[in-house]
Amino acid sequence: IASCLVGSEMCIRDSYQCHFKFHISPHLPTDRDVRILDLGCGYGRNIMALRDCGYLNIVGIDISEEQVLYAKSKMGLTKIFQKDALTWLENKTKCYECIMILDVLEHLTLDESLAVLKKCYTALSEGGIFIIQVPNALSPLSPLWHGDITHLRAFSPDSMSQLLRMTQWSSFKHYSLGPIPRNFKSTIRWLLWNGVLSPMIKLFMLVANSETRGGIYTSNLLTVVTKK
């Protein structure tokens, strides 16, 4: 049983590493020595993925004591701390070249999200990269939003744009996070999504709303922001 659990955990980890390298790493700074902050890092899967990409100057914070203990004892991570985002970011000005907040904002109230994004703006250096991942409200059935009782909201490209503009950010772009063609089955999924399902959803949006509402319908929404 133990070996099956370990094997399952490794499979999940490999799948996430593939997701990270395919969808997120192309948006990271090219300089591997940049200072990176992972807000809401959980047990450290983003930090491990960053290490695999050659980034070493990484700090992670999470409010969960259990997650931080697991990251330190099981993942061997040292630069990870139990803190909430607002406390950690207090009095930090241009301290990081890259900040990531993946799968976090959906757990926060609107006021908390506004406060965190304002602090991130101050903490990021000029020309720095801010990467956000959230459940996509335009995804059919919104499975990632409804699948967790701690989720307070999902986001569309429009609502994420509103949130960013309210907190000083002005230069950003939204991306879909679709299937990754890495083997036969995933290639079939990729073909069906890009050739059939996504165009059908776009057609429905055009007929029902007279516009595509951003044209992104994957379960998650990725937003990449550059501080100008």
Side-chain angles (χ1 to χ4, degrees):
I1 294 175
S3 62
C4 289
L5 290 174
V6 171
S8 177
E9 183 178 345
M10 290 297 295
C11 183
I12 293 172
R13 193 174 300 169
D14 289 344
S15 178
Y16 185 77
Q17 297 276 19
C18 181
H19 162 83
F20 190 96
K21 289 182 179 179
F22 190 88
H23 286 301
I24 298 175
S25 65
H27 304 291
L28 295 169
T30 55
D31 182 1
R32 264 43 179 187
D33 294 323
V34 294
R35 298 163 295 177
I36 300 177
L37 173 64
D38 184 14
L39 291 173
C41 63
Y43 64 84
R45 65 179 185 173
N46 297 320
I47 297 175
M48 299 298 293
L50 284 164
R51 284 186 171 185
D52 285 348
C53 293
Y55 299 91
L56 298 177
N57 193 5
I58 314 158
V59 173
I61 67 160
D62 199 277
I63 199 170
S64 168
E65 180 182 4
E66 291 79 9
Q67 295 270 38
V68 171
L69 286 175
Y70 186 91
K72 290 182 176 180
S73 62
K74 301 297 184 180
M75 309 297 284
L77 302 176
T78 56
K79 291 185 178 181
I80 183 170
F81 306 94
Q82 185 191 355
K83 292 281 186 179
D84 70 86
L86 291 178
T87 301
W88 181 266
L89 292 169
E90 189 67 31
N91 299 321
K92 286 186 170 58
T93 302
K94 300 180 181 179
C95 293
Y96 306 101
E97 284 76 45
C98 179
I99 298 177
M100 301 194 313
I101 183 165
L102 309 184
D103 307 316
V104 173
L105 291 181
E106 61 269 24
H107 299 275
L108 306 181
T109 66
L110 178 58
D111 287 343
E112 289 169 339
S113 295
L114 291 169
V116 168
L117 293 191
K118 288 177 181 177
K119 293 287 187 182
C120 287
Y121 186 89
T122 302
L124 192 67
S125 63
E126 298 297 328
I129 304 297
F130 186 31
I131 302 176
I132 306 167
Q133 180 175 293
V134 290
N136 183 11
L138 296 184
S139 172
L141 306 180
S142 298
L144 296 184
W145 175 25
H146 297 296
D148 189 334
I149 60 173
T150 66
H151 287 176
L152 300 181
R153 71 185 72 243
F155 294 84
S156 69
D158 287 341
S159 63
M160 178 55 69
S161 298
Q162 292 170 22
L163 186 67
L164 288 167
R165 292 191 182 102
M166 291 171 67
T167 50
Q168 295 183 269
W169 303 95
S170 59
S171 180
F172 49 84
K173 187 174 181 180
H174 307 294
Y175 298 88
S176 62
L177 296 170
I180 302 169
R182 54 178 179 155
N183 54 39
F184 179 75
K185 287 184 178 180
S186 60
T187 299
I188 296 299
R189 289 179 58 230
W190 182 85
L191 289 170
L192 287 173
W193 174 255
N194 289 284
V196 181
L197 294 179
S198 184
M200 287 179 64
I201 299 169
K202 182 176 292 187
L203 178 61
F204 168 81
M205 295 296 289
L206 281 170
V207 172
N209 304 286
S210 73
E211 57 180 309
T212 63
R213 309 297 296 184
I216 297 175
Y217 312 114
T218 50
S219 296
N220 270 329
L221 169 69
L222 186 74
T223 301
V224 179
V225 193
T226 303
K227 184 176 179 180
K228 298 293 186 181

